Amino acid sequence: RYVNSDDQVSLDNIDMRYTTILYTEETDPETGDYVELQRLQTIENRIWVDYDQIPRHMIDAAVAIEDKRFWEHNGVDWKRTFGAFVIYPTQAGGSTITQQLIKNITDDDAVNVQRKVREIFRALNLSKRYSREEILEAYLNTIYFNNGCYGVQAAANVYFGKDVSELSVAESASIIGITNAPGAYNPFTNPENNKKRQEDILYAMFEQGYLTQQEYDDAVAEELVF
């Protein structure tokens, strides 16, 4: 009664603000790349990065903590959805990465069952049209990481002064940890909260087989330098 079951969301032309990067004609003698001169941005600092440039451990961190059955379900995790309906009947949580992406790019975030049902149909349809990799690429480029950062590339630049491809396992988990509550887990203002969340994510990665015991121990022990 509430929704059109054929409702589609497209990832082909996502309308978002992006940061403009200006370069000089000089090149770096070591890399041969043009030297960056200035970045121009609105309140949204976003630099799109392709899926193959995102470290595998960052992808694993996002899946492990946000949607552990992401590679198996069809856009909706029915077990989590039904559980959420029982516990929070008016809010209906249990969102998958696909559902979170839809909310991010449509700004359809009303807190009611009708919106949740609409989001479920959109997620099912999105998963039929796009690969899991395409969905993850869009998700990791649209989520908010506080301090004006949208997407993992901007977050890597701002928090660690690195390209996202250079992030360690520990750094990737720290960034992914921000998404759950950007204010509470902001590493600049709440580093202790961020560290605790990071360790929860690292443990989830270890528990789900994404990290060995040694990799987990090393990541937990690594000092984060923001």
Side-chain angles (χ1 to χ4, degrees):
R1 300 213 313 264
Y2 294 128
V3 298
N4 173 11
S5 62
D6 294 324
D7 194 5
Q8 302 282 349
V9 173
S10 175
L11 301 183
D12 298 333
N13 297 293
I14 300 176
D15 183 19
M16 293 187 171
R17 299 181 179 93
Y18 295 97
T19 298
T20 297
I21 305 176
L22 304 179
Y23 297 91
T24 69
E25 291 186 344
E26 301 173 18
T27 56
D28 186 305
E30 294 184 4
T31 65
D33 296 332
Y34 287 110
V35 176
E36 183 177 320
L37 175 66
Q38 182 70 46
R39 293 193 178 196
L40 307 176
Q41 65 189 64
T42 62
I43 57 172
E44 296 182 18
N45 177 13
R46 180 186 287 106
I47 304 166
W48 193 277
V49 60
D50 293 336
Y51 181 85
D52 58 8
Q53 294 174 277
I54 302 171
R56 183 69 206 191
H57 47 252
M58 174 167 272
I59 292 166
D60 293 339
V63 171
I65 200 65
E66 295 293 335
D67 187 1
K68 66 181 181 180
R69 286 182 283 272
F70 173 77
W71 298 107
E72 304 161 17
H73 63 61
N74 59 353
V76 177
D77 188 333
W78 294 110
K79 183 176 181 180
R80 288 179 63 196
T81 298
F82 288 132
F85 265 113
V86 170
I87 299 170
Y88 305 109
T90 61
Q91 295 185 24
S95 292
T96 63
I97 282 175
T98 309
Q99 289 169 271
Q100 292 178 51
L101 170 61
I102 288 169
K103 186 163 65 174
N104 290 343
I105 63 179
T106 62
D107 292 326
D108 186 0
D109 57 1
V111 183
N112 55 48
V113 174
Q114 292 96 314
R115 193 274 301 175
K116 196 67 183 182
V117 174
R118 183 165 58 245
E119 181 182 273
I120 285 172
F121 278 112
R122 286 174 167 177
L124 294 171
N125 291 332
L126 194 74
S127 290
K128 293 175 184 176
R129 297 177 60 201
Y130 298 95
S131 69
R132 298 293 186 274
E133 290 79 8
E134 289 173 314
I135 290 170
L136 265 174
E137 178 182 313
Y139 171 75
L140 291 172
N141 277 289
T142 55
I143 46 180
Y144 181 53
F145 293 101
N146 214 315
N147 294 297
C149 300
Y150 289 81
V152 292
Q153 181 69 292
N157 294 166
V158 168
Y159 292 116
F160 294 106
K162 295 182 177 182
D163 186 89
V164 67
S165 64
E166 301 170 333
L167 294 177
S168 67
V169 175
E171 292 165 340
S172 292
S174 171
I175 286 177
I176 292 299
I178 301 170
T179 63
N180 183 253
Y185 297 122
N186 180 352
F188 289 160
T189 56
N190 297 300
E192 298 85 3
N193 289 355
N194 180 267
K195 178 60 178 172
K196 184 178 183 305
R197 179 68 173 170
Q198 178 233 30
E199 291 185 3
D200 289 344
I201 292 172
L202 291 172
Y203 184 75
M205 294 174 72
F206 167 66
E207 192 176 42
Q208 294 173 40
Y210 293 116
L211 297 177
T212 65
Q213 182 71 60
Q214 187 62 57
E215 289 169 335
Y216 167 72
D217 292 341
D218 290 347
V220 169
E222 182 179 322
E223 180 183 1
L224 297 174
V225 181
F226 297 106

